[in-house]
Amino acid sequence: MKKIALIYGVTGQDGSYLSKFLLKKNYIVHGVKRRSSSINTHRIDKIYQDPHEKNKSFILHYGDLTDTLSIKNLIQTIKPNEIYNLAAQSHVGVSFQIPEYTANVDALGTLRILDSIRSLKLEKKVKFYQAGTSEMFGRTVNKFQNEKTNFYPRSPYAVAKVYAHWISINYRESYNIFASNGILFNHESPVRGETFVTKKIISGLCKIKKNKIKTLYLGNLYAKRDWGHAKDYVEAMWKILQYKKPDDFVIATGKQYTVKEFVNLACKELAIKISWRGKGLNEVALDESGRKIIKIDKKYFRPTEVDSLRGDSTKAKKILNWIPKTTIKELIIDMISNEI
Ligand code: NAP
Ligand code: F7E
């Protein structure tokens, strides 16, 4: 019998990679998409192309994590073996502007799925994956963060994700639900949302190279992140649910770069020679002809920043035999080649 998966957030970056991954593993994949005024399925259109020829193992449903009725109905109808909760208002910066909505989706949305599993008495049938995040570590004092590191969330997004993390553990301990948390560090890809910094840098530099724009505006160049590739990270999600018991795992590369270093690496791959001048809000990057191709705009700074994140995924390596396969250079090359 084919296994059945239900993915919340199927139209997002990770949802699209995970769908492809599970279909290759011969799953039947149900995905939940939101109703929107313009089409929001571009990342999964290749899987779900022509309605007449459509992939019979890939089925989309309308739904929303703010709609308890639809969540319960869908889980009752599909009775999946695995539920992946990847749906979220996932932008840290935006979460300061829509904090209540972010909490509703990212925190309460998780509770709604878990409580549907409980009230439908599907504890023995369904395994649940929660998309946790390194942002939960926030203002950390540890050089590396692992499963034992304390959380200190620094944004409405991260606070909501801490709730989702702990409610998953609580439902695991209270009701014996197979609920596991992946604590994933930043992961990127060619289909990363346009407003996240890596995609913004790659796409901005490619446009500068083609003379389509003159300047790329960025915020804090000195934040440090541990960036991996989404295709490696969805494999970890699956492995987490195949483990014999529910548990929590940090998924990361263990390497760290500043935003500025990411710009430098991308420029190197694009053969754009840059030099940095100035400080603070006046810092700029000049190209060979002296044009200011990168400037700082304070609107991209956050009220509270997460300065440094670097994950230690020893536990995932030991127990799940998971290691990241893609280097930052390969990630950048993949993103650039798709952009071009
Ligand atoms: P993403 O590209 O922003 O995708 C988010 C998905 O959630 C989209 O499919 C979106 O639908 C959906 N969604 C948003 N609000 C919803 C709602 N109210 N009801 C139902 N669906 C809703 O995010 P991602 O990068 O793939 O990340 C996947 C998950 O991992 C997220 O939970 C994120 O917070 C978490 N995470 C991401 C990273 C990372 O570096 N990428 C790291 C750690 C954790 P639309 O397409 O309609 O907007
Ligand atoms: O910012 C700085 C910014 O928005 C990275 C989400 O997937 O990963 C992501 O959250 C850093 C921050 O990602 C710009 O201040 C500078 O320090 O790409 P980002 P994020 O905030 O780390 C985590 C793990 C998640 O869970 C989230 O869902 O880059 N930065 N200049 C900028 N950031 C943005 N977006 N835009 C800029 O212009």
Side-chain angles (χ1 to χ4, degrees), residues 1-2 7 20 38 44 48 57 91 142 167 173 179 189 203 213-214 222 224 227 233 305 312:
M1 276 266 280
K2 282 189 171 189
I7 304 178
K20 284 176 220 153
S38 48
I44 48 172
Y48 192 80
S57 298
H91 201 286
N142 301 61
I167 200 67
E173 293 175 352
S189 75
S203 138
I213 60 164
K214 289 198 171 92
Y222 295 95
K224 295 178 187 155
W227 281 293
Y233 286 42
E305 176 63 283
D312 165 14

Side-chain angles (χ1 to χ4, degrees), residues 136-204:
M136 298 188 294
F137 297 120
R139 193 168 146 184
T140 181
V141 288
N142 301 61
K143 200 171 161 201
F144 285 88
Q145 297 82 46
N146 65 21
E147 295 78 6
K148 293 198 173 83
T149 309
N150 288 337
F151 294 149
Y152 190 147
R154 293 272 280 172
S155 62
Y157 166 77
V159 174
K161 285 285 188 176
V162 171
Y163 175 88
H165 177 89
W166 279 107
I167 200 67
S168 299
I169 294 175
N170 182 257
Y171 268 58
R172 171 162 97 207
E173 293 175 352
S174 307
Y175 308 115
N176 248 334
I177 291 179
F178 193 114
S180 296
N181 290 294
I183 306 175
L184 274 53
F185 283 61
N186 297 55
H187 47 281
E188 321 293 311
S189 75
V191 296
R192 181 60 146 151
E194 303 286 336
T195 59
F196 295 98
V197 79
T198 56
K199 178 75 172 176
K200 190 173 156 185
I201 291 168
I202 301 284
S203 138

Side-chain angles (χ1 to χ4, degrees), residues 52-84:
H52 304 292
E53 296 295 323
K54 76 180 175 203
N55 188 333
K56 294 257 181 350
S57 298
F58 188 58
I59 303 131
L60 293 181
H61 308 264
Y62 282 108
D64 197 297
L65 273 196
T66 59
D67 186 316
T68 311
L69 291 179
S70 73
I71 295 172
K72 213 170 162 181
N73 283 335
L74 209 55
I75 296 175
Q76 186 168 29
T77 312
I78 296 169
K79 293 194 178 57
N81 304 99
E82 295 170 11
I83 299 179
Y84 294 86

Side-chain angles (χ1 to χ4, degrees), residues 164-304:
H165 177 89
W166 279 107
I167 200 67
S168 299
I169 294 175
N170 182 257
Y171 268 58
R172 171 162 97 207
E173 293 175 352
S174 307
Y175 308 115
N176 248 334
I177 291 179
F178 193 114
S180 296
N181 290 294
I183 306 175
L184 274 53
F185 283 61
N186 297 55
H187 47 281
E188 321 293 311
S189 75
V191 296
R192 181 60 146 151
E194 303 286 336
T195 59
F196 295 98
V197 79
T198 56
K199 178 75 172 176
K200 190 173 156 185
I201 291 168
I202 301 284
S203 138
L205 290 174
C206 288
K207 286 188 185 121
I208 287 170
K209 189 141 174 111
K210 289 185 196 159
N211 281 321
K212 284 192 178 158
I213 60 164
K214 289 198 171 92
T215 314
L216 167 65
Y217 290 89
L218 294 173
N220 179 10
L221 294 175
Y222 295 95
K224 295 178 187 155
R225 289 291 183 276
D226 175 333
W227 281 293
H229 197 301
K231 71 177 179 221
D232 296 343
Y233 286 42
V234 298
E235 185 189 10
M237 294 175 188
W238 176 76
K239 285 193 161 192
I240 287 171
L241 286 197
Q242 309 319 304
Y243 183 44
K244 61 178 184 245
K245 61 182 177 79
D247 204 345
D248 310 320
F249 293 91
V250 159
I251 300 298
T253 69
K255 299 201 169 64
Q256 186 190 55
Y257 301 86
T258 62
V259 172
K260 189 171 172 177
E261 282 166 342
F262 190 94
V263 171
N264 291 337
L265 289 169
C267 282
K268 198 173 163 205
E269 292 308 324
L270 281 162
I272 303 176
K273 281 200 177 134
I274 57 164
S275 54
W276 294 93
R277 299 272 192 284
K279 276 199 170 138
L281 293 179
N282 296 319
E283 188 161 8
V284 291
L286 309 175
D287 71 3
E288 271 183 304
S289 64
R291 275 190 315 161
K292 291 178 182 166
I293 61 165
I294 297 175
K295 289 183 185 169
I296 304 301
D297 187 331
K298 65 173 189 287
K299 81 173 177 211
Y300 296 116
F301 285 75
R302 290 149 189 197
T304 40

